[in-house]
Amino acid sequence: MAKALLARYADSITMPDLRVSPTTALTPGQVKTDVLSGLTVALALVPEAVAFAFVAGVHPLVGLYAAFMVGLVTAIFGGRPGMISGATGALAVVMVALVAEHGVEYLFATVVLMGVLQLIAGALHWGKFIRLVPHPVMLGFVNGLAIVIFLAQMSQFKVPGTAEVSGHGASGGEWLSGLPMVVMLGLVALTMAVVWLLPRLTKIVPAPLAGIAITAGVVILFGLDTPRVGDLSSIEGGFPPFHIPSVPLTLETLQIILPYAVILAAIGLIESLLTLNLVGEMTGQRGGASQECMAQGAANVLTGFFGGMGGCAMIGQSMINVKSGGRTRIAGIAAALFLLSFILIASPLIELIPLAALVGVMFMVVIGTFAWNSLRILFKVPLTDAFVIILVTVVTVYEDLAVAVVVGVIVSALAYAWNNARRIHSKTYITPEGAKVYQVQGPLFFGSSEGFAEMFDVPGDPSLVVVDFADSRVVDQSALQAIEAVAAKYEAVGKQIQLRHLSRDCHKLLSKAGHLMVDSEDDPNYALAVDYNVRTGILGDH
């Protein structure tokens, strides 16, 4: 019965089921699918990059250059084929204060330093620590990001040039009304219908690309008056020029850019590594965290020297790519190269695409990203897990991803520590020789040290007491303090306490602290039940 309930719980908290084979053969059909998927992603990247450039207070080309260079480098060297990187709102909202106070050159220098910090993180293999993020935090992450993506599209329903877009959506501005709003909503619905229906008929062309093409064709054919990409800004430009940031190489400059670089590097890596895990679950791939850190770092160093605003993984565009069939590095490379071609030669054509088509695609991404089953399981999972899911979702929307993940991990860790602290208890028996044995069960650490001390009956125990750790572990300094405190109480009344069945790590920890009066390698292997006497006074007065 318990196994059945556990299985049902595990099944109910899985991410959206988009699994494919872990290995994808590079056939002509797959190459075609990857290229078309890359084209779809590139079209969706344009308004996002332009909007986030506005958020950061820089020229739209700064955002587009970042999307091209970060996307290209991470597609080639990143830890997971299928991921898409570019300029993101999570980074843009941090950059705006730096640009406003010190100018865009300081932003470029910050992006270079951000990349260096990410390279260091990759070289030190810090990416592996993303495994400490619990599953409820992941659910909150995808739900929060889905809501943020949805809110970011609201600016497209306002009169072009009047809305202020942030990482959390649009604020201010004049909403479309009357016929323009009706046309906008109708075109969004048309795009969503195509994206939903086409895969049921054919998979020759990625559904999002078909949705954009059909909606754009309707607008151009009937001459409908609706906002287009060109209404945001012109995307015409040249190849990104090499440019060393024009900032003084002084300690004062470092003091200005270092705090921003640390924050941007942390946010970029957290969002990238969580997206890496999400895409890995969808495509059945594993590994690559440190490689992704290195790729993100190299991409941002390069971007800073070519006039880009920096970036990280983009969950929305990654979802578009995966759902469009993109499975190899070709998809990400194609997306970056298509984006560059838009800037160099195809800007007049791209600027004709209606924003409604891109909004419709992103709305379908929101529907596919949000973990709808998390709503169904909120009353089935432990209360702490349900609270963490909601908390991370809310903090992601109202603050940013990095804060949300840190908060979620801290709350989960505290809940875990509390649950383990309540688990410690003991069984007792008297040996034929008259000694009393306490069989400790549960980990002994800072959270359970008080409960450990309360288990012993110092006045009523015999002259010899044995503490058996066969079913326990001595974890930290608080545990050492607790053992010594108990030993001191017995010593004060003329009684002796011994430790038995220490595991090898516990034995090492206690020996290093100077608590064990006998040094043996037998007991850690449980070959012999050696009893260790305990020294007191090692950690000071109590």
Side-chain angles (χ1 to χ4, degrees):
M1 181 65 178
K3 290 183 177 180
L5 290 174
L6 182 61
R8 287 179 58 191
Y9 168 62
D11 291 341
S12 65
I13 59 175
T14 54
M15 296 294 181
D17 186 13
L18 297 173
R19 282 190 171 276
V20 295
S21 172
T23 56
T24 302
L26 197 61
T27 62
Q30 183 61 48
V31 171
K32 184 202 72 172
T33 299
D34 284 335
V35 171
L36 291 178
S37 179
L39 175 59
T40 308
V41 169
L43 292 173
L45 277 171
V46 172
E48 297 275 307
V50 171
F52 294 141
F54 286 147
V55 172
V58 296
H59 191 278
L61 280 177
V62 175
L64 291 168
Y65 287 156
F68 159 63
M69 285 180 289
V70 175
L72 181 62
V73 174
T74 56
I76 297 174
F77 301 108
R80 183 86 77 233
M83 279 181 59
I84 303 296
S85 296
T88 64
L91 299 182
V93 295
V94 177
M95 298 172 179
V96 61
L98 174 64
V99 175
E101 186 173 353
H102 300 284
V104 70
E105 293 296 330
Y106 278 83
L107 172 61
F108 296 149
T110 301
V111 171
V112 173
L113 182 56
M114 163 192 173
V116 172
L117 294 176
Q118 291 176 328
L119 284 171
I120 294 173
L124 296 177
H125 300 286
W126 287 352
K128 63 186 177 183
F129 291 110
I130 200 68
R131 70 184 64 172
L132 298 178
V133 177
H135 198 270
V137 175
M138 283 292 295
L139 287 175
F141 158 70
V142 296
N143 289 350
L145 262 292
I147 295 172
V148 169
I149 293 171
F150 174 80
L151 293 177
Q153 308 311 309
M154 293 299 100
S155 62
Q156 316 302 351
F157 291 90
K158 297 187 177 184
V159 177
T162 65
E164 296 182 4
V165 185
S166 72
H168 308 298
S171 60
E174 180 184 348
W175 290 97
L176 295 172
S177 60
L179 184 59
M181 178 61 87
V182 172
V183 172
M184 183 76 172
L185 292 173
L187 293 173
V188 170
L190 172 63
T191 306
M192 294 177 69
V194 172
V195 173
W196 182 65
L197 289 172
L198 188 63
R200 291 160 172 76
L201 302 176
T202 179
K203 294 186 178 180
I204 296 178
V205 178
L209 179 60
I212 294 172
I214 291 174
T215 302
V218 169
V219 170
I220 295 172
L221 180 63
F222 293 98
L224 299 179
D225 183 16
T226 187
R228 308 189 187 196
V229 171
D231 294 326
L232 290 178
S233 173
S234 173
I235 65 170
E236 184 178 4
F239 192 86
F242 179 79
H243 169 74
I244 298 177
S246 301
V247 297
L249 299 178
T250 63
L251 184 60
E252 181 181 359
T253 299
L254 181 63
Q255 291 174 337
I256 292 172
I257 66 175
L258 181 59
Y260 287 100
V262 171
I263 295 171
L264 291 172
I267 294 174
L269 288 184
I270 290 173
E271 184 160 358
S272 298
L273 293 175
L274 289 177
T275 304
L276 180 103
N277 283 351
L278 182 61
V279 172
E281 288 195 16
M282 295 175 183
T283 60
Q285 299 169 333
R286 299 180 61 187
S290 296
Q291 183 178 345
E292 184 64 28
C293 292
M294 297 290 287
Q296 293 288 335
N300 282 304
V301 170
L302 184 68
T303 301
F305 284 119
F306 279 88
M309 60 183 282
C312 63
M314 308 180 74
I315 186 172
Q317 277 66 25
S318 298
M319 288 288 291
I320 291 175
N321 185 46
V322 172
K323 296 198 72 171
S324 298
R327 293 292 182 270
T328 72
R329 298 187 184 275
I330 292 176
I333 295 171
L337 295 179
F338 275 125
L339 185 60
L340 179 62
S341 69
F342 297 163
I343 298 171
L344 297 179
I345 58 177
S347 57
L349 181 62
I350 300 303
E351 290 171 8
L352 293 177
I353 295 176
L355 292 175
L358 302 176
V359 171
V361 170
M362 296 310 294
F363 278 175
M364 293 303 290
V365 168
V366 169
I367 294 173
T369 301
F370 195 92
W372 299 100
N373 53 1
S374 64
L375 301 178
R376 178 171 53 85
I377 67 171
L378 281 179
F379 299 102
K380 299 180 180 180
V381 299
L383 183 61
T384 303
D385 288 351
F387 175 74
V388 168
I389 293 172
I390 296 173
L391 177 65
V392 174
T393 300
V394 172
V395 176
T396 299
V397 173
Y398 286 99
E399 283 293 330
D400 61 60
L401 172 66
V403 173
V405 171
V406 170
V407 169
V409 170
I410 290 175
V411 172
S412 298
L414 290 175
Y416 175 79
W418 174 253
N419 289 333
N420 276 277
R422 294 162 54 194
R423 286 175 52 195
I424 195 163
H425 63 282
S426 67
K427 297 178 181 179
T428 62
Y429 65 90
I430 304 296
T431 67
E433 294 78 15
K436 186 174 181 179
V437 179
Y438 285 84
Q439 292 180 310
V440 183
Q441 310 210 339
L444 178 54
F445 67 112
F446 68 90
S448 60
S449 58
E450 185 175 348
F452 173 78
E454 294 173 353
M455 293 188 312
F456 297 92
D457 179 16
V458 177
D461 282 345
S463 59
L464 178 60
V465 173
V466 178
V467 185
D468 192 335
F469 286 95
D471 297 318
S472 180
R473 291 294 181 272
V474 180
V475 177
D476 57 12
Q477 190 271 343
S478 295
L480 301 180
Q481 188 83 26
I483 292 172
E484 186 176 349
V486 170
K489 291 179 182 179
Y490 280 104
E491 188 179 84
V493 295
K495 299 179 181 180
Q496 184 182 8
I497 184 172
Q498 296 178 340
L499 310 183
R500 175 181 294 175
H501 282 144
L502 291 173
S503 65
R504 186 175 296 278
D505 53 343
C506 302
H507 180 275
K508 182 178 179 181
L509 188 63
L510 286 163
S511 297
K512 185 176 181 181
H515 285 285
L516 297 186
M517 297 179 65
V518 179
D519 188 14
S520 170
E521 290 299 323
D522 293 326
D523 190 46
N525 294 323
Y526 296 150
L528 294 172
V530 178
D531 295 331
Y532 297 106
N533 294 320
V534 183
R535 286 195 183 101
T536 59
I538 299 297
L539 301 178
D541 296 334
H542 305 287

